[in-house]
Every structure is written in C-alpha cells, then in structure tokens.
DNA sequence: CAAGGTAAAGTCCGATTGAC
DNA sequence: GTCAATCGGACTTTACCTTG
C-alpha cells in the first residue's frame, strides 16, 4: 500500500510522459503497482479485508440476550451454538457484547438512582431465622413485603416457606396496604418457581402463582439472582427485620411474635426516617402510594382457587381451614389433593376425584357425604374379627367417632 | 504465486467477584 | 478463608487483502 504522496508522484510522472517501467524503476516499486494506480487515477484508501465477522448481523439479538442473561457472555455463547449454530470462542462473544455492557450498566445505575414509581412495585422476600419462642429456639420464616416507592413494610411470620404462605403473606399485604401494585418482585422464590434454568437463567413460575397473579391483577417478576442482591439495594427487607425487630428478643409465644411484628411495623418501621427517601415510609405511602395502588374492593380472596395436600384422618375426613370434609373411608391414611375453588372443595386421590363438598364457611364443622361410609357395615365384623385375634385388613379403619354416629349417618343416607 | 500487512478470532492467564 | 465463574488484557493464529 503506497502513501498518497507516492501515488501523486506516479501520476505526475505519468502525465510527463514517463512509462510505467521507468516510473517503477525510479520509485523502486513494482510496475504492476504503477499501472494499477494509473488505472485507478489516484490514491485509493486501503480496502479493508472483507473478512466476515462471526457475529455479523446478530447485534440486536446479542443485546437482547445480554440483557436477559444479565451480562453473562458464556451463556450467550452457548445459545449461539444451540440456536443459531454459530460456534465461536467465549472471547469473541465477550468482544461483541462489550459495547452493550456499558449501556446496560448505565441503565442499571439509572434504575437505582430513579425511585420506583408509586404503586409500581412490591418486593417480596422470605428469610429464615431461629427465634426464641417460649424458651425454645424455633425456626421462623419471615415474610417481608416492601413497597418500592414508600418502602413501607408488611411483615408476617410463618412456620415454613410453603406456597400457601407466600399467597397468605401477599394477600395480607394487599389488605394492609389497601391495594395491589402493578408488579410483585419475588426474591428467592423457590416455592413458586417450576423451572429455574441455571444455564439460561430463565424462570418459569408455577401455574398457581400465575393464577394468583391473574386473580389479583399484578405481574409477577423474579429477581434475577445475578448480583441483584448487592447492587442497588441499600436495604434488604428481611435483613432489616431480622436486625431491628427480632435480634436480641425472645417471645413467650408465637402469637406474641406476631403481635410484636405487627406493632414493630406500625411503630418503628413505618415511622423511621428512611435513609434514601429521607421520609418516614408511612408519610410517603399516604402522600403518594396509597392512591396509586389498584383498589381491592370487591375482590374475593384467592383461596377461591387453592390447592393443598392433606392426609386423610382416621375419622374419614380431611381438615381444611378448620373444617372437616369427608372422603371415602377406604382412603384413611392416604394423601389426597384438595382443590378449593368456586365454592367447592374437590378432593382427588391420584387422578380420581373422590369427593366434592360445598365450602363450609364456619369453623369446626363436619361436612359429610354419607356415601363415603358405604360398606362400613363390614366394619363391625372386621373389628370383631380383630378382637377375636384374626387377621385385620391393612386399611381397616380406626374410627375416632363413636360408632353410633357413623351408624346414624349410614342409616340416614340409605 | 509468495511475502507481507491488517483486523478479527482464538488462546492463555491473572484479577476480581460471588458463593460457600 | 477457599473455590469457581467470569472478565478483559496481551499475545497468537487465521482469513483476507495488497504488493512485488
């Protein structure tokens, strides 16, 4: 590649009538080169090698995946191979996405700097902690919901991290705040995630949560595990509760713990001068967030579509919300799936629906289908046989109710 | 065509960071 | 604290271009 002034020298000499051979000799370059530049009529910039870029045309795809995978280039490399059949080394992907990193980092900073809009987001976290209750160390699962704008907390204590407790906690938060936010951000939501792909880092919520979210009208979001905990969050809700409300305290009973959490939220957490907002959460909530939440007036609780697993008790029934619902007596001791929806309690054993009852509103009631006791006439003879020392059927029911009650039921039903 | 130049791709390695 | 994942700098190889 010649410099522009060398090329202009060629052209000048050519204009003077010099032959290409002479010019080449004079300038110490090849005749081919002289002829080429004369033909071209001047200096041409060096034509870049037309080497194909391995990731040519993938710019927007890369950008999107980079965002999706929170900056993990190796994941993108794997997806490139799997989805597009483009096999390149990690470094190549690194270089390709590098320019997008800055953009994403700037966005991340921006989302930290700019506060969440009122009513926009509720952040949920479950944390466990040993708490002294009644003199014993008890494992307590703390459910903490924090409104993004006002930073107002709602705290509940549970004995486990089961799905129904997530729902219970959320519903109680909606009740307390008097509304539903646009989205709910789940941190560490093991009980609610069906699929958590470690490679692609995608999260699939289970159907139940989807239904719950639809029922209440919020959008569920999983907090990405990638560095989300440390970046941007100045205060972790559960950590704050653990340090400030629980640490160093002992409680005489579970009820006392719950009462304390409630009072602490009201008298301490709601009133504190928040480090970032510089305002007590309760004031900020009343000023702007309360009216920004979607009202819940007239919405029934989600239990309209609940599902629980129960073991059939020895009295031929399963207990749901303090009431007992009968099932066929042969299922005593078996695990059954109970679906509570549309005013009905539907009980499944395996794939078979074995009982349907209307939901009982009260407490300590028994809802009985006499059919479930059909065949119990053999019960007395079994029992008599057992008493006589003969073999007993494996599922021979050990009924807790007085025999007379069953007889009355069976007699009344037939 | 061979030699040499350029830019992209690939390789290696140390530093950093998060999980434990 | 260790360990592993990840990133980016420095270097090497490869692909494509120009020149002699």
């Amino acid at each position: 590649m010649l410099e522009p002034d060398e090329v202009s020298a060629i052209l000048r000499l050519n204009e003077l009538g010099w032959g290409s051979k002479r010019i080449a000799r004079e300038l110490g370059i090849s005749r081919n080169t002289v002829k080429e530049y004369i033909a071209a009529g001047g200096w041409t910039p060096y034509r870049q090698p037309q080497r194909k870029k391995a990731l040519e045309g993938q710019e927007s795809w890369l950008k999107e995946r980079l965002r999706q995978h929170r900056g993990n280039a190796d994941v993108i490399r794997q997806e490139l191979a799997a989805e597009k059949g483009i096999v390149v080394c990690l470094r190549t992907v690194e270089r390709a996405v590098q320019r997008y990193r800055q953009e994403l980092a700037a966005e991340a900073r921006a989302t930290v700097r700019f506060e969440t809009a009122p009513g926009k987001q509720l952040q949920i976290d479950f944390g466990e902690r040993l708490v002294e209750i009644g003199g014993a160390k008890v494992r307590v699962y703390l459910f903490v919901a924090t409104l993004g704008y006002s930073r107002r907390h709602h705290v509940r204590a549970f004995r486990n991290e089961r799905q129904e407790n997530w729902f219970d906690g959320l519903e109680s938060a909606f009740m307390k705040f008097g509304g539903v936010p646009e989205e709910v951000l789940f941190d560490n939501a093991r009980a609610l995630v069906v699929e958590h792909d470690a490679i692609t880092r995608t999260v699939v919520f289970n159907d139940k949560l989807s239904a719950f979210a639809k029922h209440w009208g919020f959008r569920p979001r999983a907090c990405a595990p990638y560095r989300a905990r440390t970046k941007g969050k100045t205060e972790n809700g559960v950590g704050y509760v653990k340090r400030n409300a629980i640490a160093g305290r002992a409680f005489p009973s579970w009820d006392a713990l719950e009462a304390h959490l409630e009072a602490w939220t009201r008298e301490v957490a709601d009133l504190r001068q928040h480090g970032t907002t510089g305002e007590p959460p309760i004031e900020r909530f009343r000023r702007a967030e309360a009216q920004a939440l979607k009202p819940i007036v007239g919405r029934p609780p989600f239990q309209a579509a609940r599902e629980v697993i129960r073991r059939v008790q020895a009295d031929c029934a399963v207990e749901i919300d303090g009431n007992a619902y009968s099932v066929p007596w042969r299922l005593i001791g078996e695990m059954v799936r109970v679906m509570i929806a549309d005013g009905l309690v539907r009980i499944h054993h395996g794939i078979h629906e074995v009982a349907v009852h209307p939901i009982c509103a009260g407490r300590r009631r028994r809802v009985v289908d006499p059919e479930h006791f059909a065949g119990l006439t053999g019960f007395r003879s079994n029992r008599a046989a057992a008493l006589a020392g003969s073999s007993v059927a494996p599922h021979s029911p050990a009924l807790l109710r007085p025999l007379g009650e069953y007889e009355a039921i069976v007699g009344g039903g037939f």
Side-chain angles (χ1 to χ4, degrees), chain A residues 70 184-189 193 196 203-205 220-225:
Chain A
R70 312 274 159 173
V184 173
L185 185 66
F186 294 89
D187 192 0
N188 187 27
V193 170
H196 195 126
V203 166
V204 178
F205 289 116
R221 281 188 53 194
C223 187

Side-chain angles (χ1 to χ4, degrees), chain A residues 235 240 268-281 283:
Chain A
E235 180 184 276
Y240 176 53
V268 179
D270 272 358
L271 304 181
R272 79 200 194 277
Q273 198 80 15
H274 190 275
T276 306
T277 66
E279 207 178 346
E283 278 178 29

Side-chain angles (χ1 to χ4, degrees), chain A residues 305-362:
Chain A
R306 214 150 45 102
E307 181 180 317
V308 293
I309 304 292
R310 289 283 188 273
R311 187 182 295 280
V312 178
Q313 302 296 309
D315 60 354
C316 295
V318 291
E319 192 170 303
I320 310 291
D321 299 331
N323 296 312
Y325 298 86
S326 73
V327 298
W329 63 267
R330 286 181 180 81
L331 295 174
I332 284 175
E334 296 286 313
M335 302 302 288
V336 291
R337 196 154 43 87
V338 184
M339 254 119 42
I340 304 138
D342 305 325
L344 291 176
V345 172
R346 295 173 174 277
I347 304 170
H348 292 251
H349 181 244
I351 57 166
H352 301 292
E353 186 168 273
V354 293
V356 182
H357 297 285
I359 288 175
C360 179

Side-chain angles (χ1 to χ4, degrees), chain A residues 6 11 26 37 69 75 89 96 146 152 178 180 244 246-247 258 341 370 414:
Chain A
E6 292 177 292
L11 294 180
E26 182 69 27
Y37 279 104
H69 301 310
V75 175
C89 74
T146 311
R152 207 178 159 204
V180 181
N244 199 305
I246 305 284
E258 289 189 325
F414 294 89

